[in-house]
Amino acid sequence: MRFPGLFLAPAATLLVANVPPSVPTPPSVPEIGAPELAALGPDGAGVMVRQVIDKDQLDPLASLEQGKEVHADRTLTLRIWYPARASAKAVRATYTASLVGEPGTPPATFGVPALAVQDAPAAGKGYPVVLLSHGYNNDPVMLSWLAENLATKGYVVVAPEHRDPPITDVAKSPATLLRRPLDITFVLSRLRAGLLGDLVDTGRIALVGYSFGGYGVLTVAGGSLSATSPAVSRLPAPLVATYTAGGARDGQLHDPAIKAVVAISPAGGAPWNAWGAEGLDGIHAPLLVLAGSYDRTVGYENGPAAIFANAHKTERTMLTFRSAGHSIGTNPAPAAMRDRLWDFDWFEDPIWRKSRINAISAHFITAFLDRYVKGDEARAAYFAVPGSDAVKVSDKAGWIGPFTPYAAVSAGGENPTWKGFVRGHQDGLELRHLSVQP
C-alpha cells in the first residue's frame, strides 16, 4: 500500500478438499499450522457484483480542482461475498484487477484464484454485514483472503471499489479524505434501504479497513476530522469548515450504529493527524487494530499504535506483528505481480511469510467479530493470553500438556501458548488491550 503526497509515495459446500490439486489454492484457505479460527467455516462462499449510484453528491476531487463545491453522480461497484451452497463441481469465480504500475510502466494486471462461486445460491438469510474497505488505489479482490474466509463463517462481506485517483497524482490525493468515508456511509445507507433484502441483518454491521480503508472505517465509526490537520487543511476552506469536527456536515461522515471496527495498518495518524488530539473519542464501537512494528508507510508508534492509544472511549485491542511492515492486509502476491519489486511490494512483507500473517489475522478477526457482532462471548478467551505485563508477547511460550500429536493446539487457560495456536507456531506477536477511559 502506497500513499501519494498527502501520505507517502512508494515505498454450497465448497471445501478445500473439493479443490482439485491442479487448481491454485485460494488465499482464503489457511496454510497448514494456522491457528484454530483461521479455518474455513461450514458454508461455501458465493460472490456477486452490484452497482449503486450516489446521485448529486459532493465530488471532492472536482471541488479540489475548481476551488468550490461541486456535486455529481458517483457510481460504485460492490463486490459482495456471502455464505452459499454450491456443489463441488461448480465453477469458481474469476478475480482480476490492475494496479498503478511503477512510473514509466503500464498498469500491472493480475488474477487471484477464487474459492467463491459466482452468484451461487445463498445458504440462508439474516447474516451480519462486514463492510470491507480496501487500501488507496487498491481493489477489493486484494482482500479476498479475508472476505471469502468470513463468508464461509456466516458473514456477508460488502466491498466497495472506491476508485481513488492514481496514487502517483499527488495533487488529487486530499479529495480522498472525504470521498472514502462518504462512500462507506452511502453504501451502508443502501444496505439499510434493502439493497440485499433479507440476506442481511443490517442491525449487525461491522467495518473492516486496510491502510487508507482503515482511515475510512475509523472516520465512519466516529473519528471527527481536525481542521488543523496538515492533510485535511489541503481541502478547499469551505469543505474544511463543514466536514470537520463541529461542522454542519461532520455527521455525514459517521455511522453511529456500528457494532465493531477492525483497522489493519490504518492511515490517518502522524504526521497527518487527521483526527487531531481528541477526534477519535467519537469511536464507541469495540476496536481491533492490526499493525506491523516496522511499517514504513504509516509508521507505527505515531501511526497505528497512537490510533489505538487515542481511541479513549472504546474497548480496544491491538495485535502487532513484530518487524512486519505495511502490506499485512492483502493477499499474497499473485504470480503476475512477482517479476517487478514495485508490483511485489503491493502485496508482500519483506520479513514475514504472507500466508502466515493472513492466517493469524483471520484467526483474531474471526474471534473479534464473532464476539462483538454475533454475541459469542466464548470468543473472548482467544484474547485472554497469559502474562502480567500490559504487552503480551508470544515469543518462546512454553507448553503445558502432552507433546502428541505433533500439531497439538492450545486450549488456552494456563497454557502459555496462546489459545488456538499450534504448539511452537506463535512467535513474533504482541497483544495489547485498553479499556474505556473516562
Side-chain angles (χ1 to χ4, degrees), residues 87-298:
S87 72
K89 295 181 180 179
V91 177
R92 292 187 284 155
T94 300
Y95 302 146
T96 59
S98 63
L99 295 171
V100 173
E102 186 172 2
T105 67
T109 300
F110 60 92
V112 177
L115 177 72
V117 173
Q118 190 76 39
D119 299 318
K125 60 184 180 181
Y127 296 110
V129 176
V130 174
L131 189 141
L132 181 61
S133 185
H134 61 69
Y136 197 103
N137 247 186
N138 286 188
D139 187 279
V141 303
M142 297 171 69
L143 302 170
S144 66
W145 69 272
L146 180 60
E148 290 186 339
N149 190 286
L150 291 176
T152 70
K153 297 170 178 175
Y155 293 91
V156 172
V157 180
V158 179
E161 183 183 337
H162 293 289
R163 297 188 295 108
D164 307 307
I167 204 164
T168 51
D169 194 337
V170 173
K172 296 179 180 178
S173 58
T176 58
L177 288 166
L178 296 181
R179 190 65 265 166
R180 183 58 65 99
L182 288 172
D183 280 353
I184 295 171
T185 56
F186 169 65
V187 172
L188 294 178
S189 72
R190 290 302 304 271
L191 290 169
R192 293 195 177 100
L195 177 67
L196 297 179
D198 63 3
L199 177 64
V200 296
D201 174 4
T202 55
R204 296 185 293 166
I205 296 177
L207 305 178
V208 179
Y210 163 59
S211 194
F212 198 70
Y215 157 82
V217 301
L218 288 164
T219 301
V220 171
S224 288
L225 300 181
S226 170
T228 62
S229 159
V232 176
S233 62
R234 291 176 60 186
L235 290 163
L239 299 185
V240 174
T242 56
Y243 282 98
T244 54
R249 288 181 281 187
D250 174 38
Q252 294 182 13
L253 305 181
H254 312 310
D255 189 313
I258 301 304
K259 296 295 185 184
V261 184
V262 179
I264 306 170
S265 302
W272 320 293
N273 297 316
W275 308 284
E278 299 179 351
L280 293 175
D281 283 355
I283 298 176
H284 298 285
L287 171 64
L288 174 64
V289 177
L290 286 75
S293 65
Y294 284 1
D295 191 323
R296 297 177 182 272
T297 300
V298 300

Side-chain angles (χ1 to χ4, degrees), residues 219-406:
T219 301
V220 171
S224 288
L225 300 181
S226 170
T228 62
S229 159
V232 176
S233 62
R234 291 176 60 186
L235 290 163
L239 299 185
V240 174
T242 56
Y243 282 98
T244 54
R249 288 181 281 187
D250 174 38
Q252 294 182 13
L253 305 181
H254 312 310
D255 189 313
I258 301 304
K259 296 295 185 184
V261 184
V262 179
I264 306 170
S265 302
W272 320 293
N273 297 316
W275 308 284
E278 299 179 351
L280 293 175
D281 283 355
I283 298 176
H284 298 285
L287 171 64
L288 174 64
V289 177
L290 286 75
S293 65
Y294 284 1
D295 191 323
R296 297 177 182 272
T297 300
V298 300
Y300 178 69
E301 292 295 348
N302 294 323
I307 290 169
F308 164 73
N310 291 333
H312 303 115
K313 302 303 180 182
T314 187
E315 292 285 328
R316 62 246 193 238
T317 300
M318 184 168 73
L319 176 70
T320 298
F321 294 88
R322 295 171 65 178
S323 299
H326 184 71
S327 299
I328 63 171
T330 66
N331 291 332
M337 303 296 278
R338 291 180 174 270
D339 294 332
R340 189 184 296 273
L341 188 58
W342 170 285
D343 300 340
F344 188 74
D345 278 354
W346 282 108
F347 295 88
E348 295 290 344
D349 184 77
I351 305 296
W352 281 69
R353 188 174 70 252
K354 176 52 76 70
S355 55
R356 181 170 184 244
I357 291 176
N358 289 357
I360 293 170
S361 297
H363 170 82
F364 280 108
I365 292 172
T366 297
F368 183 76
L369 295 179
D370 283 356
R371 181 183 183 188
Y372 290 110
V373 180
K374 292 185 176 180
D376 184 356
E377 282 299 319
R379 297 304 202 201
Y382 290 93
F383 294 96
V385 300
S388 57
D389 297 328
V391 181
K392 314 293 187 180
V393 179
S394 67
D395 290 3
K396 300 180 181 178
W399 180 261
I400 297 175
F403 278 75
T404 56
Y406 179 80

Side-chain angles (χ1 to χ4, degrees), residues 36-103:
E36 182 179 17
L37 298 184
L40 297 179
D43 292 315
V47 63
M48 57 182 162
V49 177
R50 298 288 185 270
Q51 283 194 331
V52 291
I53 302 175
D54 195 3
K55 290 187 172 294
D56 191 30
Q57 294 300 311
L58 175 73
D59 185 336
L61 180 55
S63 300
L64 182 66
E65 293 173 335
Q66 298 181 33
K68 61 180 182 180
E69 185 166 329
V70 178
H71 284 228
D73 294 351
R74 180 168 173 82
T75 300
L76 288 174
T77 298
L78 310 179
R79 194 174 294 268
I80 301 162
W81 287 271
Y82 56 93
R85 297 188 181 95
S87 72
K89 295 181 180 179
V91 177
R92 292 187 284 155
T94 300
Y95 302 146
T96 59
S98 63
L99 295 171
V100 173
E102 186 172 2

